[in-house]
């Protein structure tokens, strides 16, 4: 595969490995452990592997141009898994400049709010504190002592530590699928490069190489392309549909006075307005966040469950309303948005983890599924980053144990997860999101605290929940998606084929547009979709932020996302 980079240089995977003179690897397209995805879960696997077995060859590939470019989260991180990983890999990590930068913000003020209308707010932290003392589920959503950080910066730091440990971390390499030899996974096929918009091979065309691997770790993040293709090809099953939310986030430069008033150790999580008002509606699950970033920067975001029913809803409109609320506005008024982005979050919980129906493995044989790819987000905490790191370490331990029997790795990894805090947490929240999806926020949130005592509710996929009802709090002015996309710094090679496909255009013309008004045009945070000469098209694929919302929210399940050439997409640095 050739990786086209912004400076115009290109490399095949095998040539790059050959040039780096990787020890113990004379076959340049073969590696013992291949990790797909250089996020926290994948990098934790690689780092832990080199701690346990310094002689093992490990390669991590990622489709982003650079480390952290495709990583976006709030983010709040519980300390223990990160400390455990770093204590073993880099004992002096606490004294490094990177640690002092990335982990500068420790939460000491935790505002949990219910917003009612544009001017009223109620701090309900006391209720969560009481719930925690009584062992009630939502009591887990307390963040005192956790880190508030940029996942982009965390990922870059972990990637550099992995490289120090001898891991090959290669960015700009987009994976297409796992290659099977009968029932056995033998490698990963990379994306073809050098094709024009009509699908013709250009002079610089190079077919995507297949990287052969003894073990394959899937850590792509939410709704990963390779992961979902493997789930289908290997016959993995979920007990319940995966459910998603969409998070949109802005990093805002504020005055020193506003930053000091907010304070470095503070986080705000707010439910209610503008996405949920009891009885009169709207009735969506999710809420707003405000976190302290680096000096004089505040991160403001809106997270909304993809099971919303409003045909003209856009999460960015809700973000605008949230920023206008009287509690939030004083902290950010007059500020400048310096970075922005969007990402989906897997919320289906324990029942939505993909498993081999025969063995119960989270993966199959020598393929393991980690972090957000597996869906390890605890919905009672609204957190999953700590579980992603922990899953990476558990995968590494499984691989080391199964070096002579790779086909046993997924089962051993699953046993490790089942015996870890991941399973304990996920089981405590196993019904939380399904309960809210079934009954709505007003009834579902109180019922969800019953957790394990409730039956497993059957819920429909997010895309089936769309109705013709409008969102009543929609602002009068359309959201400026062009500016949002510009500060996300997203970029793709313009001449390549669109990586977004509308499967059946007649559905758009005869069903979707007449009933729902082409909602993909509205809800896509990057303005990819437009109506051109009466036809809905992914007209601006180069704007794509890789959130994949269109694939999961089109009301007729009529859009598919595939990976563009490596190096394309957003270029987050502080998200």
């Amino acid at each position: 595969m050739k990786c086209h980079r912004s400076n115009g240089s290109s490399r095949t995977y095998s040539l790059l490995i050959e040039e780096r003179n990787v020890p113990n690897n004379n076959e340049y397209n073969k590696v013992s452990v291949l990790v797909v995805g250089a996020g926290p879960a994948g990098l934790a696997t690689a780092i832990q592997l080199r701690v346990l077995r310094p002689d093992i060859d490990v390669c991590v590939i990622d489709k982003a141009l650079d480390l952290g470019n495709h990583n976006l989260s709030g983010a709040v991180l519980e300390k223990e898994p990160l400390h455990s990983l770093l204590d073993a890999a880099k004992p002096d990590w606490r004294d490094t400049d990177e640690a002092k930068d990335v982990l500068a913000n420790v939460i000491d003020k935790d505002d949990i709010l219910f917003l009612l209308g544009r001017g009223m707010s109620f701090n309900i932290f006391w209720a969560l504190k009481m719930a925690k003392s009584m062992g009630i589920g939502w009591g887990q959503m307390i963040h005192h002592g956790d880190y508030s950080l940029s996942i982009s910066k965390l990922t870059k730091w972990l990637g550099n530590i992995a490289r120090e440990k001898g891991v090959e971390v290669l960015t700009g390499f987009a994976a297409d699928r796992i290659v099977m030899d009968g029932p056995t996974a033998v490698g990963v096929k990379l994306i073809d490069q050098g094709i024009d918009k009509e699908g013709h091979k250009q002079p610089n065309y190079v077919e995507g190489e297949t990287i052969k691997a003894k073990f394959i770790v899937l850590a792509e993040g939410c709704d990963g392309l390779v992961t979902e293709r493997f789930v289908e090809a290997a016959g993995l099953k979920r007990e319940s549909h995966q459910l998603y939310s969409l998070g949109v986030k802005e990093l805002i430069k504020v005055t020193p006075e506003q930053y000091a008033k907010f304070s470095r150790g503070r986080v705000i999580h707010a439910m209610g307005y503008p996405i949920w008002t009891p009885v009169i509606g709207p009735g969506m699950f999710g809420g707003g966040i405000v976190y302290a970033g680096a000096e004089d920067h505040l991160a403001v975001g809106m997270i909304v469950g993809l099971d919303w029913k409003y045909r003209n809803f856009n999460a960015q409109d809700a973000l605008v309303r949230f920023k206008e609320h009287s509690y939030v506005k004083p902290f950010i008024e007059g500020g400048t948005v310096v970075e922005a982005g969007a990402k989906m979050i897997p919320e289906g919980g324990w029942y939505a983890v993909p498993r081999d129906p025969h063995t119960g493995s989270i993966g199959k044989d020598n393929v393991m599924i980690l972090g957000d790819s597996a869906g390890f987000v605890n919905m009672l905490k609204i957190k999953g980053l700590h579980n992603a790191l922990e899953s990476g370490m558990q995968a590494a331990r499984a691989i080391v144990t199964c070096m002579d029997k790779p086909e046993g790795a997924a089962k051993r990894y699953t046993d490790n997860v089942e015996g870890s805090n991941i399973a304990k947490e996920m089981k405590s929240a196993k019904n939380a999101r399904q309960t809210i999806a079934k009954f709505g926020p007003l009834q579902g949130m109180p019922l969800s605290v019953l957790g394990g005592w409730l039956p497993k509710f059957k819920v429909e996929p997010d895309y089936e929940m769309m109705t013709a009802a409008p969102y009543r709090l929609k602002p009068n002015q359309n959201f400026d998606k062009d500016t949002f996309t510009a500060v996300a710094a997203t970029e793709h090679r313009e001449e390549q084929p669109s990586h977004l496909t509308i499967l059946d255009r007649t559905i758009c013309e005869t069903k979707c547009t007449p009933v729902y008004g082409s909602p993909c045009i509205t809800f896509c945070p990057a303005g990819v979709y437009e109506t051109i000469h009466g036809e809905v098209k992914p007209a601006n694929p180069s704007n794509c932020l890789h959130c994949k919302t269109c694939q999961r929210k089109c009301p007729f399940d009529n859009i598919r996302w595939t990976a563009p050439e490596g190096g394309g997409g957003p270029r987050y640095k502080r998200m």
Side-chain angles (χ1 to χ4, degrees):
M1 185 200 92
K2 282 191 176 181
C3 173
H4 299 271
R5 299 177 185 277
S6 59
N7 62 6
S9 65
S10 61
R11 287 289 187 273
T12 64
Y13 169 85
S14 54
L15 178 60
L16 190 58
I17 296 296
E18 181 179 5
E19 287 178 346
R20 294 189 179 189
N21 194 25
V22 178
N24 305 319
N25 189 0
N26 296 320
E27 296 182 68
Y28 301 121
N29 67 337
K30 188 173 184 179
V31 67
S32 294
V33 181
L34 178 63
V35 180
V36 182
L43 292 170
T45 303
I47 293 167
Q48 185 73 7
L49 273 169
R50 294 290 292 190
V51 167
L52 298 173
R53 284 285 300 269
D55 60 323
I56 194 170
D57 55 311
V58 185
C59 181
V60 182
I61 61 171
D62 196 274
K63 61 184 172 64
L65 183 70
D66 197 7
L67 285 167
N69 281 177
H70 289 183
N71 298 99
L72 181 150
S73 182
V76 168
L77 171 63
E78 295 183 9
K79 293 179 177 180
E80 197 281 326
L82 180 66
H83 289 190
S84 176
L85 176 69
L86 296 181
D87 285 344
K90 192 178 177 71
D92 65 343
W93 65 269
R94 289 175 177 83
D95 300 322
T96 65
D97 291 339
E98 292 87 353
K100 293 172 184 176
D101 176 32
V102 177
L103 306 179
N105 296 355
V106 179
I107 297 170
D108 58 22
K109 186 172 183 181
D110 197 358
D111 288 342
I112 311 291
L113 305 177
F114 184 83
L115 306 183
L116 189 61
R118 297 180 60 176
M120 299 178 66
S121 61
F122 305 92
N123 197 325
I124 57 173
F125 180 77
W126 62 270
L128 273 76
K129 196 171 182 180
M130 182 181 298
K132 185 175 182 179
S133 68
M134 299 171 64
I136 295 174
W138 289 105
Q140 296 183 41
M141 198 173 69
I142 291 178
H143 309 289
H144 274 270
D146 295 344
Y147 294 121
S148 168
L149 51 76
S150 157
I151 193 173
S152 303
K153 294 168 76 171
L154 173 67
T155 299
K156 196 170 187 70
W157 180 32
L158 291 177
N160 290 333
I161 291 173
R163 285 169 172 159
E164 290 172 7
K165 301 297 292 183
V167 177
E168 286 297 320
V169 182
L170 306 178
T171 56
F173 288 85
D176 183 59
R177 66 183 185 277
I178 287 181
V179 177
M180 308 293 290
D181 183 4
T184 304
V186 296
V188 171
K189 172 77 164 53
L190 302 179
I191 292 289
D192 295 344
Q193 300 271 2
I195 300 175
D196 66 19
K197 289 184 177 181
E198 287 70 42
H200 302 134
K201 297 176 182 177
Q202 296 179 305
N204 64 341
Y205 169 77
V206 175
E207 183 180 357
E209 293 179 85
T210 295
I211 309 173
K212 298 176 183 177
K214 191 175 180 180
F215 299 90
I216 298 172
V217 176
L218 297 178
E220 302 173 277
C222 182
D223 200 24
L225 175 69
V226 179
T227 302
E228 293 307 313
R229 286 179 170 174
F230 178 71
V231 166
E232 184 176 351
L236 305 189
K237 302 294 182 184
R238 293 178 168 98
E239 289 187 57
S240 180
H241 298 292
Q242 184 59 273
L243 303 174
Y244 300 95
S245 67
L246 171 63
V248 292
K249 176 181 174 182
E250 295 178 342
L251 185 66
I252 302 176
K253 176 75 165 61
V254 298
T255 66
E257 293 76 19
Q258 287 172 312
Y259 188 81
K261 183 178 179 181
F262 186 83
S263 79
R264 180 181 291 274
R266 185 180 191 177
V267 294
I268 293 174
H269 294 87
M271 63 185 76
Y273 180 89
I275 62 171
W276 174 36
T277 303
V279 183
I280 65 172
M284 292 176 276
F285 176 73
I289 62 168
V290 187
Y291 297 168
E295 197 67 27
D296 300 340
H297 289 78
L298 296 179
V300 183
M302 175 59 60
I303 301 169
V304 187
L306 246 64
D307 55 349
W308 74 67
K309 64 182 181 179
Y310 308 104
R311 58 176 172 78
N312 64 340
F313 178 75
N314 172 22
Q316 291 157 317
D317 289 339
L319 177 61
V320 168
R321 292 297 196 198
F322 176 66
K323 290 164 60 178
E324 292 172 345
H325 192 277
S326 62
Y327 192 93
V328 177
K329 187 175 182 178
F331 298 118
I332 59 172
E333 188 171 18
T336 302
V337 177
V338 295
E339 197 165 330
K343 179 184 179 291
M344 283 202 311
I345 304 165
E347 295 187 344
W350 194 241
Y351 289 136
V353 174
R355 294 177 180 267
D356 182 347
H358 304 293
T359 65
S361 298
I362 305 170
K364 189 169 185 177
D365 298 337
N366 60 333
V367 181
M368 291 146 280
I369 305 176
L370 278 56
D372 276 10
S373 286
F376 291 148
V377 174
N378 177 352
M379 287 309 297
L380 291 178
K381 289 185 175 182
I382 322 292
K383 287 190 286 193
L385 183 51
H386 61 298
N387 285 338
L389 290 166
E390 180 66 25
S391 70
M393 290 186 280
Q394 297 298 351
R397 293 175 184 128
I399 290 168
V400 168
T401 303
C402 296
M403 285 303 297
D404 296 326
K405 192 179 180 183
E407 66 273 15
K411 184 65 172 69
R412 177 55 65 97
Y413 161 65
T414 304
D415 290 343
N416 290 352
V417 168
E418 292 277 4
S420 73
N421 195 57
I422 299 172
K424 181 180 178 182
E425 276 196 20
M426 294 297 293
K427 289 177 181 178
S428 74
K430 63 186 179 182
N431 275 327
R433 188 64 179 89
Q434 284 83 358
T435 304
I436 296 168
K438 184 76 172 177
F439 297 101
L442 183 60
Q443 295 172 296
M445 291 188 72
L447 283 172
S448 66
V449 303
L450 299 176
W453 290 292
L454 293 173
K456 182 174 66 179
F457 296 115
K458 184 180 185 302
V459 295
E460 304 307 320
D462 291 322
Y463 69 85
E464 291 188 5
M465 303 309 292
M466 184 76 77
T467 71
Y471 174 54
R472 72 174 182 84
L473 297 176
K474 195 169 183 66
N476 294 326
Q477 186 173 353
N478 289 334
F479 186 86
D480 185 357
K481 295 184 181 182
D482 290 340
T483 299
F484 188 90
T485 305
V487 293
T490 191
E491 185 177 325
H492 298 81
R493 186 174 69 89
E494 294 284 351
E495 294 78 18
Q496 66 183 298
S498 174
H499 60 283
L500 297 148
T501 303
I502 294 176
L503 301 179
D504 185 347
R505 295 190 183 277
T506 61
I507 290 177
C508 301
E509 297 166 8
T510 62
K511 296 181 179 180
C512 188
T513 300
V515 177
Y516 302 118
S518 308
C520 59
I521 296 174
T522 303
F523 65 60
C524 172
V528 168
Y529 297 89
E530 292 184 14
T531 300
I532 300 177
H533 303 304
E535 185 177 340
V536 177
K537 294 182 177 181
N540 308 299
S542 59
N543 285 5
C544 181
L545 298 174
H546 296 204
C547 71
K548 306 170 196 167
T549 304
C550 56
Q551 177 168 260
R552 296 302 176 185
K553 190 54 182 174
C554 168
F556 294 95
D557 192 25
N558 195 33
I559 297 175
R560 290 295 177 269
W561 187 98
T562 56
E565 292 180 357
R571 296 180 181 180
Y572 304 138
K573 291 181 171 59
R574 295 171 288 179
M575 281 287 95

